[in-house]
Structures are given as C-alpha cells and as structure tokens.
C-alpha cells in the first residue's frame, strides 16, 4: 500500500536514516507552536514516524490536548538538504510499542537509551512528505601546493 513517504525518491528515505537531530512541532492549547529537538525514526513502508519521550513532556501534553486530530510536523535539516513530515500524532503507552520504538531509535542513532518507566512513543501517521534532498556531490580535494 503506498504511503505519503513511499512516493518520494530513494534519497529522501535515505536522508531520514542518516544521523540527524530533528525538530517536532506540536500545537499548544492556545494555538501557538511548540518546537523541540527530538530523535525520529521513519518507517516508509507503513507511513509512520516515531519519537520516544517521557509521558510528562509538554509535547505529549500538547498531543493529548489535540485529541484524535493532533496535527504535528517533524523536520530535519542538513545544509541545503531538508525534509518535513506532517501528520496526526497519538501517544502510545503499550510496552511492546515502546520497546519497538526504542529498538528503532537505537538502530538509527547508534545507542539505546537507558530504560525509563516514564517512556512513551509519539506515533505519527504521515500524511504529507516534502523536502529538498539533492544528490550529494563528492567534495573537491584541496591542494596544499601553490
């Protein structure tokens, strides 16, 4: 089944597998955006992005306040390359979902976070994927000779 991200070029999904910190934007109850740095994992096949966090965080409170239509965006930037995923978020507390998200985080970021009984997963159903990921060109070698 096609997803919003599966329609992107291969380098778009590859970019989401590189080691980059991202930002998550949620909406506060008064409508103002709340933007925080996060680690994100993306599953293009299912059209889902995941963020692990503590259940007492402001981002979780914002999502819960938004109910079943809590709109969010995650973004990452590297020089002129950027990608944004938009969708609807839900907070998952199920132990299996948390364990899966922690394993995915460990795979992308090269470290597994210490166990935390307060950990939850923000699960984003991706509805829109956009960005600019031009093919990277090899850097020119510098010459010490004058």
């Amino acid at each position: 089944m096609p997803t919003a991200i599966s329609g992107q070029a291969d380098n778009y999904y590859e970019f989401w597998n590189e080691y980059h910190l991202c930002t998550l934007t949620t909406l506060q109850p008064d409508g103002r955006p709340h933007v925080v740095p996060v680690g994100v994992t993306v599953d293009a096949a299912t059209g889902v992005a995941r963020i692990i966090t503590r259940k007492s965080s402001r981002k979780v409170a914002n999502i819960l306040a938004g109910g079943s239509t809590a709109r969010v965006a995650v973004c990452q930037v590297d020089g002129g390359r950027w990608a944004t995923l938009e969708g609807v978020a839900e907070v998952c507390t199920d132990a299996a979902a948390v364990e899966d998200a922690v394993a995915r985080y460990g795979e992308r970021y090269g470290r597994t976070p210490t166990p935390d009984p307060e950990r939850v997963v923000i699960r984003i159903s991706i509805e829109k994927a956009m960005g600019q990921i031009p093919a990277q060109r090899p850097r020119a070698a510098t010459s010490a000779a004058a």
Side-chain angles (χ1 to χ4, degrees), residues 1-33:
M1 167 184 257
T3 65
I5 192 171
S6 65
Q8 299 292 324
D10 289 343
N11 63 343
Y12 188 87
Y13 183 64
E14 290 167 7
F15 184 55
W16 278 105
N17 284 314
E18 294 175 11
Y19 187 108
H20 295 288
L21 286 179
C22 307
T23 59
L24 169 68
T25 303
T26 60
L27 295 177
Q28 298 181 76
D30 66 2
R32 291 180 301 141

Side-chain angles (χ1 to χ4, degrees), residues 80-123:
R81 301 183 307 153
W82 65 273
T84 299
L85 303 172
E86 295 178 356
V88 175
E90 64 179 313
V91 177
C92 301
T93 59
D94 175 71
V98 172
E99 184 178 321
D100 176 59
V102 167
R104 290 170 187 269
Y105 179 95
E107 187 176 314
R108 179 174 186 194
Y109 291 101
R111 71 173 191 82
T112 301
T114 57
D116 183 350
E118 298 289 308
R119 184 167 288 130
V120 296
V121 179
I122 296 172
R123 184 182 182 283

Side-chain angles (χ1 to χ4, degrees), residues 25-135:
T25 303
T26 60
L27 295 177
Q28 298 181 76
D30 66 2
R32 291 180 301 141
H34 178 254
V35 183
V36 293
V38 294
V40 177
T41 61
V42 176
D43 182 347
T46 62
V48 171
R50 293 173 180 84
I51 298 164
I52 55 175
T53 189
R54 294 180 59 90
K55 66 182 171 184
S56 59
S57 70
R58 167 51 51 197
K59 55 190 161 287
V60 166
N62 290 343
I63 291 166
L64 293 174
S68 63
T69 60
R71 310 238 6 113
V72 300
V74 288
C75 181
Q76 70 178 18
V77 176
D78 179 44
R81 301 183 307 153
W82 65 273
T84 299
L85 303 172
E86 295 178 356
V88 175
E90 64 179 313
V91 177
C92 301
T93 59
D94 175 71
V98 172
E99 184 178 321
D100 176 59
V102 167
R104 290 170 187 269
Y105 179 95
E107 187 176 314
R108 179 174 186 194
Y109 291 101
R111 71 173 191 82
T112 301
T114 57
D116 183 350
E118 298 289 308
R119 184 167 288 130
V120 296
V121 179
I122 296 172
R123 184 182 182 283
I124 304 166
S125 297
I126 302 167
E127 296 177 342
K128 185 175 182 180
M130 63 194 105
Q132 183 172 331
I133 319 293

